[in-house]
Amino acid sequence: MAGSAVQESSHTVELDRAPLPLGRALAAEARCVATTLALLVGGHVHQPAAHVGDVLRFADGSSARVYRETVVDHAPLVAPAALVVEFRLRWIHGRGHAWFRAESLLNTPLFVGFRGFVSKLWLAHDENDVYRGVYQWDGPELAHAYARSLWWILALVSERGSIHYVVVPNCTRDDVVAARGPAGEAWWRVTSPS
């Protein structure tokens, strides 16, 4: 992954950066898990159903259904940033997708405790078996730090070369989902919310 940024309308869209070194990524994940446990015990993690079932259509012609939402209690946003991640699972086909969606709830401790995390929409696989997550972060650098740590976990179960992410500073998750983010034809751009 080589990081780069492109100017799109009024937004600078920040593309993939290289994964963190493995040791740093593992340490970040360990801190995240500990923080997540405290958030869960304190009742600060929620799974609202308002977006579950929504179908998002993307500029690459694919569409995917929201199957879960995860939100943490948070202060007002200081530096909003939307993050969209995509990957294609290895060895998962047919009914295996239903198993993965059910099992994925167990992955919550791997992201909820990262500093700056606000919310995530979990999208089911699209027509090309690609999964996406659409996140709200408070701080674009914090979103990058998470995605660069996440890469190592996704690499264990994903097809080689299928892991990508984009950070859109000064843009909320809801702007991206409502197709109010930057225009264009990239894989992560929502063109039509349900």
Side-chain angles (χ1 to χ4, degrees):
M1 288 182 178
S4 63
V6 291
Q7 186 69 30
E8 311 241 352
S9 60
S10 63
H11 296 281
T12 300
V13 177
E14 300 174 354
L15 307 175
D16 297 338
R17 292 183 186 172
L20 287 178
L22 180 57
R24 283 182 52 202
L26 291 175
E29 287 296 343
R31 286 189 303 274
C32 175
V33 169
T35 302
T36 298
L37 293 176
L39 289 169
L40 288 168
V41 168
H44 300 291
V45 180
H46 312 284
Q47 293 201 320
H51 292 288
V52 174
D54 289 357
V55 175
L56 304 181
R57 288 170 179 65
F58 293 89
D60 67 358
S62 65
S63 63
R65 180 183 53 80
V66 175
Y67 70 91
R68 182 178 299 127
E69 181 175 9
T70 303
V71 175
V72 295
D73 296 335
H74 62 89
L77 295 175
V78 174
L83 166 69
V84 184
V85 176
E86 78 166 353
F87 59 93
R88 184 180 297 112
L89 292 172
R90 232 180 321 196
W91 311 304
I92 303 293
H93 305 286
R95 293 181 187 203
H97 288 294
W99 175 84
F100 173 76
R101 288 190 304 272
E103 167 286 322
S104 66
L105 182 62
L106 301 176
N107 300 333
T108 302
L110 300 176
F111 65 87
V112 168
F114 268 89
R115 215 172 99 229
F117 172 80
V118 176
S119 67
K120 175 183 180 180
L121 293 178
W122 306 63
L123 276 66
H125 65 290
D126 66 16
E127 299 84 349
N128 303 308
D129 287 343
V130 172
Y131 283 86
R132 289 181 181 95
V134 182
Y135 299 77
Q136 176 66 62
W137 286 84
D138 196 356
E141 286 305 314
L142 297 174
H144 279 291
Y146 161 71
R148 295 174 68 208
S149 293
L150 172 73
W151 187 92
W152 290 100
I153 294 168
L154 287 178
L156 295 172
V157 297
S158 297
E159 289 182 7
R160 187 180 186 110
S162 73
I163 305 167
H164 300 285
Y165 79 92
V166 64
V167 174
V168 187
N170 303 312
C171 189
T172 68
R173 180 201 78 177
D174 291 342
D175 288 338
V176 169
V177 168
R180 293 189 305 256
E185 298 302 316
W187 61 267
W188 61 271
R189 288 187 180 91
V190 176
T191 58
S192 174
S194 63

